[in-house]
């Protein structure tokens, strides 16, 4: 049988946001999981102390009456044992069940059953102790021997019998159920709920911390990518100035458009870590236009997207990474002209963005570089299993890279 991976340590105190009470010495056991060994020991000591005090008061009252010391001590001992069994039988069985470390659903079922068994045992033990106490008291007072059957015969008729049954049911439900583990059972399920909420808060805080760390890495990467791209483009412009002044001027114009879209975002700090699909498509368009001019019109490109999707939040640098890979690994290695197509659409509450090219196709090692690794890391950090990156080869040559993100939380 497999062990529960979310099992709470039963011998360690509960987290502060889960534990309730425990501020006093006699309630310190509440800081431990319900139905754990430390919880059971503390609860038993508390209940035994209260029961012992009540038994001593009963003993003093009996000694004042017309009974012997032996009779009073015996009656008090029976009452103490009965009440201790009543308060601890069910919790003891439930504690044994919980220490078996069963799967959570089975544990809950057996905890409830063990408390029911404990309540039944407590009921019969209390009746036995009451019978013995009545017998001692009758004998001590010099009356006729105690006849349990005769007492039962007095309640064998009509309303008396119904009243006795109703009283017994009420006693079992209210007294045995309450002190025999009913209140502890409620605390047990409440503790399970608080533990689940605490784990959810921890997981959420961990995810947020990972997202902040990922955003910082993304910002550092963006600060590195932009100058690198700028220097390469300026080097291309320098070469074009001597060969084709008009193309060099067009390249500079395209570079200016690109910088106008990127430099203000770099200055905005946190804003640079958020973007929309339209902004990312515009960046890719500027990049592709620069690549078209630098490659002497070898590169052609198309962008197809519904206007309603342009305002959808979209993580930065993911799409441009796919476009750069398409140029570097698809178009540049292939002789002749090449085409890159960007398409975005909505399907099944998800946003799909595909970058396809008719270039050299998938080569060994393509898909395992730092750029695509960063894309996968960003998707996993932001969206978990709800997002994916799929890289496939096209039938007639070329490659396709498709990112799927949830539309309800695309950034």
């Amino acid at each position: 049988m497999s062990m529960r991976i979310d099992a709470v340590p039963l011998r360690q105190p509960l987290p502060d946001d889960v534990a309730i009470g425990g501020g006093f010495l006699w309630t310190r056991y509440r800081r431990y999981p319900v139905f754990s060994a430390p919880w059971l020991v503390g609860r038993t000591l508390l209940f035994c102390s209260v029961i012992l005090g009540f038994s001593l008061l009963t003993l003093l009252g009996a000694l004042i009456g017309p009974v012997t010391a032996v009779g009073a001590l015996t009656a008090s001992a029976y009452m103490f044992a009965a009440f201790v069994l009543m308060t601890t039988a069910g919790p003891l069985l439930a504690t044994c069940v919980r220490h078996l470390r069963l799967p959570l659903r089975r544990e809950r079922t057996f905890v409830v059953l063990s408390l029911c068994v404990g309540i039944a045992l407590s009921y019969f033990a209390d009746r036995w102790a009451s019978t013995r106490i009545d017998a001692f008291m009758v004998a001590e007072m010099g009356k006729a021997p105690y006849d349990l059957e005769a007492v039962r015969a007095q309640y064998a008729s009509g309303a008396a019998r119904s009243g006795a049954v109703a009283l017994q049911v009420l006693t079992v439900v209210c007294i045995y159920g309450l002190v025999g583990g009913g209140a502890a059972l409620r605390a047990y399920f409440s503790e399970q709920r608080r533990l689940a909420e605490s784990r959810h808060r921890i997981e959420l805080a961990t995810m947020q911390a990972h997202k902040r760390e990922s955003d910082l890495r993304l910002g550092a990467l963006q600060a590195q990518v932009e100058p690198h791209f700028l220097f390469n483009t300026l080097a291309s412009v320098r070469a074009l100035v001597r060969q084709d002044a008009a193309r060099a001027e067009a390249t500079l114009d395209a570079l200016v458009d690109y910088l106008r879209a990127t430099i203000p975002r770099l200055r905005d700090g946190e804003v640079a870590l958020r973007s929309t699909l339209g902004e990312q498509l515009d960046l890719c368009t500027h990049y592709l236009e620069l690549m078209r001019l630098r490659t002497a019109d070898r590169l052609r490109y198309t962008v197809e997207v519904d206007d309603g999707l342009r305002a959808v939040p979209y993580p930065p640098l993911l799409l441009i990474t796919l476009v750069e890979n398409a140029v570097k690994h698809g178009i540049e290695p292939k002789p002749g002209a090449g085409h890159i197509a960007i398409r975005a659409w909505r399907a099944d509450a998800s946003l799909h963005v595909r970058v396809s090219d008719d270039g050299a196709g998938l080569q060994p090692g393509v898909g395992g570089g730092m750029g695509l690794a960063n894309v996968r890391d960003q998707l996993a950090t932001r969206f978990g299993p709800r997002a994916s990156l799929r890289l496939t080869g096209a039938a007639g040559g070329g490659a396709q890279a498709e990112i799927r993100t949830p539309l309800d939380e695309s950034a």
Side-chain angles (χ1 to χ4, degrees):
M1 182 179 299
S2 60
M3 190 71 69
R4 279 193 358 230
I5 60 175
D6 62 337
V8 58
L10 295 180
R11 295 187 178 275
Q12 298 180 9
L14 292 168
D16 292 337
D17 60 339
V18 176
I20 295 181
F24 301 97
L25 178 63
W26 54 87
T27 61
R28 191 169 296 173
Y29 72 93
R30 293 182 180 177
R31 297 200 60 83
Y32 291 89
V34 179
F35 302 133
S36 65
W39 177 90
L40 179 66
V41 171
R43 181 182 184 275
T44 303
L45 291 176
L46 175 63
F47 275 76
C48 286
S49 301
V50 175
I51 295 171
L52 180 60
F54 181 74
S55 299
L56 291 176
L57 291 176
T58 304
L59 175 62
L60 292 177
L63 290 175
I64 297 175
V67 294
T68 64
V70 175
L73 286 172
T74 303
S76 298
Y78 274 113
M79 184 181 66
F80 177 79
F83 274 101
V84 169
L85 182 60
M86 182 190 305
T87 57
T88 60
L92 176 61
L93 294 175
T95 300
C96 294
V97 167
R98 194 165 193 193
H99 278 75
L100 295 177
R101 312 304 288 173
L102 301 172
L104 184 58
R105 180 175 297 181
R106 294 186 61 187
E107 177 186 281
R108 291 175 175 177
T109 301
F110 281 100
V111 162
V112 174
L113 291 177
S114 62
L115 286 177
C116 293
V117 172
I119 291 174
L121 292 176
S122 302
Y123 172 73
F124 289 109
D126 180 48
R127 293 195 63 182
W128 175 80
S130 299
T131 302
R132 301 303 299 171
I133 291 173
D134 290 345
F136 273 107
M137 297 303 292
V138 170
E140 289 291 326
M141 296 176 66
K143 295 183 179 180
Y146 186 82
D147 188 355
L148 180 60
E149 295 300 328
V151 174
R152 288 177 176 174
Q154 297 178 5
Y155 297 95
S157 62
R161 181 180 179 184
S162 300
V165 172
L167 182 61
Q168 289 179 355
V169 172
L170 182 63
T171 301
V172 170
V173 173
C174 296
I175 298 180
Y176 296 100
L178 182 63
V179 302
L185 183 64
R186 180 178 180 274
Y188 167 75
F189 284 105
S190 176
E191 175 189 292
Q192 297 291 316
R193 175 181 53 81
R194 294 194 305 274
L195 280 171
E197 293 175 351
S198 177
R199 292 191 187 99
H200 177 71
R201 287 193 296 269
I202 293 175
E203 292 174 357
L204 182 60
T206 302
M207 290 180 60
Q208 291 175 345
H210 287 168
K211 187 176 185 298
R212 286 193 296 269
E213 181 182 356
S214 177
D215 287 342
L216 291 175
R217 293 200 309 269
L218 182 61
L221 178 61
Q222 187 169 1
Q224 295 172 2
V225 169
E226 302 297 348
H228 177 73
F229 176 73
L230 175 62
F231 296 150
N232 286 345
T233 303
L234 290 177
S236 299
V237 171
R238 180 184 179 185
L240 286 173
V241 167
R242 299 179 180 177
Q243 302 172 3
D244 190 340
R247 183 175 292 276
E249 183 179 358
T251 303
L252 283 175
D253 291 340
L255 178 60
V256 169
D257 292 337
Y258 178 82
L259 294 178
R260 282 175 177 171
T262 56
I263 288 181
R265 296 185 58 81
L266 291 176
R267 292 176 178 174
D268 288 342
E270 284 293 328
V271 178
L273 302 179
R274 301 187 300 270
S275 65
T276 63
L277 177 62
E279 292 169 342
Q280 293 304 303
L281 289 173
D282 290 342
L283 290 177
C284 293
T285 301
H286 294 315
Y287 172 81
L288 290 172
E289 179 63 18
L290 284 171
M291 292 299 104
R292 183 188 69 81
L293 294 170
R294 286 173 55 180
T295 58
D297 294 329
R298 282 183 54 217
L299 172 64
R300 295 175 294 106
Y301 62 90
T302 56
V303 178
E304 181 183 350
V305 59
D306 294 336
D307 292 337
L309 294 177
R310 291 185 60 86
V312 172
Y314 203 76
L317 287 185
L318 302 188
L319 188 54
I320 189 65
T321 300
L322 302 187
V323 173
E324 289 176 346
N325 276 356
V327 172
K328 180 179 179 181
H329 300 289
I331 303 302
E332 290 183 350
K334 177 185 176 181
H339 179 261
I340 292 178
I342 304 176
R343 179 172 177 258
W345 71 96
R346 182 197 311 259
D348 301 328
S350 297
L351 175 61
H352 298 256
V353 181
R354 176 188 299 162
V355 177
S356 58
D357 66 82
D358 57 359
L362 290 179
Q363 304 296 326
V366 177
M370 290 297 297
L372 293 182
N374 180 68
V375 171
R376 292 188 175 94
D377 179 64
Q378 293 294 322
L379 292 175
T381 301
R382 292 173 179 270
F383 310 112
R386 297 184 301 160
S388 63
L389 167 64
R390 186 177 63 176
L391 189 64
T392 58
Q400 293 181 349
E402 181 178 321
I403 294 178
R404 176 183 59 87
T405 54
L407 269 174
D408 59 337
E409 193 182 348
S410 295

